[in-house]
Amino acid sequence: MKEIKKIIECKSVVEKLRKKGYKIGFVPTMGSLHDGHLNLIRMAGRECDCVIMSIFLNPTQFGPGEDLGKYPRNFRKDCIKAKNEGVDYMFHPGVEEMYPPGHRTWVEVGGLSSIMCGRFRPGHFKGVATVVLKLLDIINPDNAYFGEKDYQQMVIVRRMVKDLNLGVKIISCPTVREEDGLAMSSRNKYLSKEERKEAVILYRCLNMADSMIVEGEKNLKKIKDKLKGELKDNKFVKKVDYFDFRDPLTLEKKNRVRSGDKEVLAAAAAWIGNTRLIDNVIIKL
Ligand code: PAF
């Protein structure tokens, strides 16, 4: 696996790969790799001739007071994992390389960026969309792989790719879970032993929503109130940011299941102690 730090070098490597006619798969990450990321690499490896991963802890998607400073950094360990899974190139630019002095251009995906997590993390998706666009421009992949755990991010990236006529295919990969069902996340490392045990409550509530809908409850507001209450009653849950039902394609809010609906997204964000966790499930009707 070759490590690349400079944009100019990355572009020249990509040009050579393109000349050889290789299909390029790209896995963007912020590092602290877990099985969810490794699954993205495996998928890219199956579908493409060459896999490029990026590890860039993007400061612009963290708000003031968020966890940028303590976000787990494990570049050497990450490289070993990536290499073992068959990553061919690791793009690992510094902050100045991605945001040189004088940087002024931002990407805003209107509407989708201010709902759900965007309500509680203003500016977050502007930072995500901007860095993803820059990375897609540098790496120019055929396919780019995103985990469904960050469902809103995936929808926003798809929208941006469509609106800007980018020639990349966005492939989404199912959330990888721990044995008890907790969605894998780099932030799970922040949880204490007791918090970790209780954190699965988020997934449990999403599954309860699934059961209630499948059993015929159509009033989503009623389900939401009940499950938000369930979460709030748990002594390890400090705050529930949202528990929402949404259209899986447009993220439009849904208060009722309508005849003709095929799928509903249930998504939630809650604080387990000082750690903000997100999760979602697609409910098939
Ligand atoms: O999902 C992530 O790890 C990040 O948001 C991404 C897509 C790598 C952009 O920094």
Side-chain angles (χ1 to χ4, degrees):
M1 185 182 77
K2 186 173 162 47
E3 289 172 32
I4 305 174
K5 276 182 160 309
K6 295 285 170 205
I7 294 173
I8 191 166
E9 191 193 349
C10 195
K11 285 197 169 193
S12 130
V13 164
V14 167
E15 207 183 307
K16 284 183 194 136
L17 295 170
R18 290 242 155 259
K19 276 196 184 133
K20 287 188 188 161
Y22 283 5
K23 181 173 178 182
I24 300 173
F26 173 46
V27 181
T29 79
M30 297 202 297
S32 182
L33 302 184
H34 51 67
D35 278 356
H37 298 112
L38 305 189
N39 200 38
L40 301 180
I41 303 174
R42 284 175 209 136
M43 200 138 165
R46 280 197 295 274
E47 296 178 353
C48 303
D49 303 312
C50 176
V51 179
I52 305 183
M53 167 173 266
S54 64
I55 292 188
F56 177 62
L57 187 50
N58 176 34
T60 67
Q61 66 188 78
F62 291 80
E66 288 190 351
D67 57 339
L68 174 63
K70 68 165 183 173
Y71 198 87
R73 290 158 168 88
N74 265 319
F75 184 64
R76 279 294 137 224
K77 271 195 189 156
D78 286 346
C79 280
I80 294 168
K81 289 183 188 170
K83 188 174 168 210
N84 288 343
E85 290 300 334
V87 169
D88 300 289
Y89 295 92
M90 173 65 77
F91 180 50
H92 178 54
V95 174
E96 287 244 326
E97 184 71 3
M98 291 299 280
Y99 299 106
H103 179 274
R104 285 273 177 277
T105 306
W106 298 100
V107 182
E108 190 104 50
V109 182
L112 293 176
S113 294
S114 51
I115 56 173
M116 302 166 70
C117 286
R119 255 186 73 203
F120 300 90
R121 303 187 68 191
H124 168 66
F125 289 114
K126 179 171 143 187
V128 170
T130 302
V131 82
V132 170
L133 181 63
K134 283 164 84 79
L135 290 167
L136 291 176
D137 172 66
I138 295 162
I139 286 151
N140 185 24
D142 295 277
N143 293 354
Y145 295 81
F146 289 83
E148 284 171 12
K149 202 214 86 191
D150 296 301
Y151 197 93
Q152 185 176 8
Q153 165 172 282
M154 191 257 302
V155 172
I156 286 174
V157 170
R158 276 193 203 286
R159 185 75 252 171
M160 175 183 76
V161 163
K162 195 155 195 244
D163 291 349
L164 299 180
N165 308 301
L166 308 180
V168 57
K169 196 166 159 193
I170 301 301
I171 315 268
S172 66
C173 308
T175 303
V176 178
R177 297 183 179 279
E178 302 285 355
E179 227 163 77
D180 65 349
L182 177 68
M184 288 202 183
S185 161
S186 308
R187 292 189 167 98
N188 292 350
K189 290 199 175 99
Y190 301 154
L191 299 167
S192 71
K193 214 166 154 196
E194 286 114 325
E195 287 169 349
R196 167 62 194 85
K197 241 165 110 187
E198 289 297 317
V200 71
I201 187 164
L202 203 56
Y203 184 49
R204 212 180 296 137
C205 284
L206 291 164
N207 278 326
M208 279 158 79
D210 185 326
S211 306
M212 289 161 93
I213 292 171
V214 169
E215 277 159 24
E217 180 56 79
K218 294 197 178 334
N219 186 338
L220 298 177
K221 168 98 177 44
K222 196 166 140 190
I223 301 178
K224 170 183 163 149
D225 290 345
K226 181 174 164 34
L227 295 177
K228 257 182 122 169
E230 191 89 20
L231 280 169
K232 282 180 184 160
D233 283 347
N234 184 299
K235 74 171 179 171
F236 288 91
V237 178
K238 201 164 91 181
K239 187 172 169 263
V240 181
D241 277 354
Y242 64 84
F243 193 107
D244 272 4
F245 293 99
R246 301 266 169 180
D247 179 285
L249 292 178
T250 61
L251 297 186
E252 238 167 84
K253 202 162 193 160
K254 291 187 74 67
N255 288 321
R256 270 197 86 73
V257 177
R258 308 258 170 221
S259 60
D261 285 346
K262 292 201 167 56
E263 288 182 338
V264 177
L265 169 76
W271 290 83
I272 310 291
N274 292 325
T275 306
R276 185 176 186 275
L277 297 181
I278 57 171
D279 201 354
N280 68 81
V281 294
I282 299 276
I283 300 168
K284 302 214 182 291
L285 304 168

